[in-house]
Amino acid sequence: MKFTSKQSNIPPIRGFTILLIGCLAIKLSLCFSSFPSSLKTLNVEGHFSFDNNEFAARDFGNRFQFLPSAVLHPKSVSDIATIIKHIWQKGPGSKLTVAARGHGHSLQGQAQAPQGVVVSMESLSGQEMKVHTGRFPYVDVSAGELWINILHECLKFGLAPKSWTDYLHLTVGGTLSNAGISGQAFRHGPQISNVHRLEVITGKGEVRICSEEQNADLFHGVLGGLGQFGIITRARISLEPAPKMVKWIRVLYSDFSTFSRDQENLISAENTFDYIEGLVMINKTGLINNWRSSFNPQDPVQASQFKSDGRTLFCLELTKNFNPLEADKIDQEIKRILSQLSYIPSTLFMSETSYVEFLERVHTAELKLRSKGLWDLPHPWLNLLVPKSKIQSFAEGVFGNILTDTNKGPVLVYPVNKSKWDNRTSTVLPEEDIFYLVAFLSQAVPFSTENDGLEPLLSLNKRILDYCEVAHLGVKQYLPYYTTQEEWRAHFGKQWEVFVRRKSAYDPLAILAPGQRVFQKAISIL
């Protein structure tokens, strides 16, 4: 099924052609100009804003700015259903599209709707969260709620979600539309593997409850579905007992194969850490000294003699959750696990912090960057999923030859177990039991002509992607960005037919999530 504009056959008679084009122009002008006025007639509990909507044309990536015709600030789920049903009923003669916007952390305009309607999902965040305790605890939340708020509410009951992203100031609907990955994913899977039930509004304006047992195809489709099949409005999220404290550990490696082998052993072990991530560090001057402000070295003398300047190093970052009465037992357990690793002995650093403080670590860094005016910069991030069998080749080609330093932003690299993912969802993964998330989280300096400028960083991303393609590494993009349907078809591979079928079933006019650029809305001009 093609979601493209239908072209009319205009007879080759010049006068009639001019007349027909003129009529079409008038018809299109009247149709398009009527959009805001038709929205004003809708009965919603919230409200529309038609002016001063520049915020909806910006995101964390800070590269694409497409202004919508209107922004809906809903007070209820029915408000969102009303606007989508209104556009659906207008049929293919309307060019209006709808994008759900959470906290605005898309990277490349994915939550924008050029001349369409942006739904500000955070307007729903005030809805009551309902925590259910018991043997299998869960919480029912609005999709516009931030994960940090969910954490604080669940902690009142001694509970917390199982799987996180590194940054908690994101909405539930936003992360569930992608996957939601962090250092707990090796054990619990991504956030989309920890959802029991969803409320979804399809591209026809239908409100549906879906789960493994009810509307299962829609349930699996919207999880990781990039917003293409429906707008998630509520979610039921699995919980577990929350720890109070965290032992936070960092160690260094100079050899990537040893580093990756230890990571793979850790995520495969039964008794292991609760969070496992890795970082690549190139030309990080004074690395050990920078850690001293929040981490204590096991051997201060040896640590003071370690030099990181100019070297390519790999940091293994680990945590072990515990409650205060278990401190001695946890220390022994950590010592046992660490004894099985082959890191550089002098680089063992450890810290103890609260569970919340650890989960808020990126937000803490955000506040510091904001105070220096360094947060709202362009972020040309590149996130890749690399098969385990190809990670060594990837490291040699990228970390060894293409990447010259990591001072423009963190570079994450850590493995996850595919068995913790549901292959019925829309997320695209490499075809191996273990794969690595490799994330280049750079930030560009505006107007810079040096290597820290936007264009050089985009060029670096392209070199990495080109290398992966030429070397046939089987890499898949996470938070993917493509501009043609051919590229999307290649990205989805054998999943493409299922993706298109779901689009045809749940959003046949391609009203939803135009900023993802997967499908173009069909517009009939006659």
Side-chain angles (χ1 to χ4, degrees):
M1 182 174 183
K2 294 183 179 179
F3 299 83
T4 55
S5 299
K6 300 176 183 178
Q7 302 296 324
S8 59
N9 294 320
I10 301 176
I13 303 174
R14 188 166 183 267
F16 180 74
T17 301
I18 294 173
L19 177 62
L20 179 60
I21 291 174
C23 292
L24 287 176
I26 293 171
K27 182 176 180 180
L28 287 171
S29 176
L30 290 173
C31 179
F32 292 170
S33 65
S34 68
F35 292 154
S37 60
S38 72
L39 297 179
K40 291 176 182 178
T41 65
L42 297 179
N43 184 21
V44 295
E45 296 177 54
H47 70 280
F48 287 99
S49 60
F50 299 99
D51 301 303
N52 302 315
N53 289 327
E54 287 76 14
F55 79 96
R58 293 192 298 268
D59 57 26
F60 182 67
N62 203 10
R63 291 176 51 205
F64 297 89
Q65 289 85 34
F66 296 107
L67 197 66
S69 292
V71 173
L72 172 65
H73 304 269
K75 280 191 176 180
S76 66
V77 170
S78 63
D79 283 356
I80 305 173
T82 295
I83 176 62
I84 296 177
K85 187 174 292 184
H86 172 74
I87 296 172
W88 162 254
Q89 290 174 344
K90 292 179 77 70
S94 164
K95 73 169 185 177
L96 273 183
T97 56
V98 178
R101 184 182 193 274
H103 204 52
H105 272 259
S106 294
L107 296 174
Q108 292 159 313
Q110 288 94 335
Q112 298 176 24
Q115 297 185 20
V117 178
V118 167
V119 180
S120 180
M121 297 300 293
E122 284 192 279
S123 295
L124 295 176
S125 62
Q127 294 186 358
E128 182 183 2
M129 285 184 267
K130 296 182 180 179
V131 177
H132 297 258
T133 60
R135 186 178 176 188
F136 301 105
Y138 62 86
V139 60
D140 287 325
V141 298
S142 163
E145 197 64 73
L146 298 181
W147 284 98
I148 183 61
N149 296 336
I150 296 170
L151 172 64
H152 286 302
E153 181 64 23
C154 292
L155 285 175
K156 296 176 184 177
F157 300 84
L159 299 167
K162 300 174 181 178
S163 190
W164 299 102
T165 53
D166 287 338
Y167 180 66
L168 272 58
H169 292 249
L170 305 171
T171 59
V172 169
T175 64
L176 295 185
S177 295
N178 290 281
I181 310 176
S182 186
Q184 306 87 5
F186 77 93
R187 169 176 285 167
H188 297 294
Q191 291 179 322
I192 59 173
S193 293
N194 294 276
V195 180
H196 297 311
R197 177 175 165 176
L198 297 171
E199 180 184 68
V200 175
I201 304 175
T202 70
K204 300 176 184 178
E206 302 167 336
V207 181
R208 293 194 185 181
I209 302 299
C210 53
S211 65
E212 293 271 5
E213 295 78 27
Q214 182 180 4
N215 295 313
D217 185 64
L218 180 61
F219 178 72
H220 294 123
V222 296
L223 292 173
L226 309 176
Q228 292 299 307
F229 315 123
I231 293 178
I232 300 171
T233 51
R234 287 193 71 78
R236 176 168 292 176
I237 298 160
S238 180
L239 303 176
E240 67 177 358
K244 290 184 170 57
M245 302 296 293
V246 166
K247 295 281 188 179
W248 190 359
I249 302 156
R250 286 180 179 173
V251 293
L252 290 176
Y253 294 73
S254 58
D255 175 66
F256 183 82
S257 61
T258 306
F259 167 72
S260 59
R261 184 192 66 219
D262 277 358
Q263 281 191 310
E264 290 164 17
N265 288 339
L266 285 172
I267 70 163
S268 302
E270 185 173 342
N271 295 316
T272 187
F273 291 99
D274 296 297
Y275 160 97
I276 300 170
E277 287 196 8
L279 298 98
V280 182
M281 296 179 166
I282 303 174
N283 286 330
K284 288 285 189 179
T285 303
L287 175 63
I288 295 297
N289 285 332
N290 292 338
W291 285 2
R292 290 178 184 275
S293 61
S294 53
F295 289 85
N296 298 315
Q298 185 185 50
D299 189 325
V301 175
Q302 282 193 356
S304 65
Q305 296 171 352
F306 181 83
K307 303 297 180 184
S308 61
D309 300 7
R311 301 171 63 182
T312 298
L313 297 167
F314 306 96
C315 173
L316 184 55
E317 188 168 43
L318 312 160
T319 70
K320 193 72 173 174
N321 301 335
F322 72 102
N323 292 316
L325 295 177
E326 307 170 324
D328 292 340
K329 178 182 176 182
I330 289 297
D331 285 341
Q332 292 302 313
E333 181 70 8
I334 290 172
K335 185 176 180 180
R336 182 190 65 79
I337 302 174
L338 289 175
S339 70
Q340 302 170 13
L341 306 181
S342 301
Y343 57 88
I344 302 170
S346 61
T347 65
L348 173 56
F349 279 68
M350 193 177 300
S351 178
E352 187 175 300
T353 187
S354 74
Y355 185 59
V356 173
E357 286 174 335
F358 171 73
L359 292 177
E360 274 280 72
R361 64 197 181 282
V362 177
H363 181 59
T364 300
E366 173 192 355
L367 296 178
K368 293 178 181 178
L369 290 171
R370 283 191 182 279
S371 68
K372 300 176 182 178
L374 298 175
W375 183 254
D376 296 318
L377 299 176
H379 294 93
W381 287 8
L382 177 64
N383 296 271
L384 304 175
L385 304 177
V386 184
K388 169 188 168 181
S389 67
K390 302 295 184 182
I391 193 63
Q392 190 67 40
S393 298
F394 181 93
E396 291 171 359
V398 177
F399 306 146
N401 295 311
I402 297 176
L403 195 67
T404 58
D405 67 68
T406 54
N407 290 315
K408 304 173 189 68
V411 177
L412 307 182
V413 52
Y414 58 91
V416 294
N417 294 308
K418 191 174 182 179
S419 62
K420 302 297 183 180
W421 298 62
D422 190 326
N423 60 12
R424 294 170 294 180
T425 69
S426 295
T427 303
V428 179
L429 305 175
E431 297 191 10
E432 289 191 10
D433 293 338
I434 292 176
F435 58 89
Y436 280 74
L437 172 71
V438 184
F440 301 88
L441 310 181
S442 58
Q443 58 182 28
V445 177
F447 311 114
S448 173
T449 57
E450 304 298 325
N451 289 336
D452 56 1
L454 179 58
E455 290 306 317
L457 291 174
L458 291 173
S459 177
L460 178 66
N461 288 350
K462 186 177 185 305
R463 286 183 63 196
I464 294 170
L465 290 171
D466 288 347
Y467 169 75
C468 292
E469 184 174 356
V470 171
H472 303 290
L473 300 185
V475 168
K476 291 295 183 180
Q477 283 196 40
Y478 175 60
L479 309 177
Y481 173 76
Y482 298 102
T483 57
T484 68
Q485 199 165 92
E486 290 73 22
E487 291 173 313
W488 280 111
R489 183 189 297 269
H491 169 74
F492 280 100
K494 64 183 182 181
Q495 294 175 238
W496 176 246
E497 289 186 7
V498 174
F499 201 81
V500 171
R501 176 186 61 75
R502 285 171 170 167
K503 186 68 171 179
S504 179
Y506 305 117
D507 184 26
L509 293 184
I511 291 170
L512 302 175
Q516 293 283 1
R517 301 170 181 83
V518 186
F519 301 102
Q520 180 181 352
K521 185 177 181 183
I523 302 174
S524 175
I525 60 176
L526 284 177

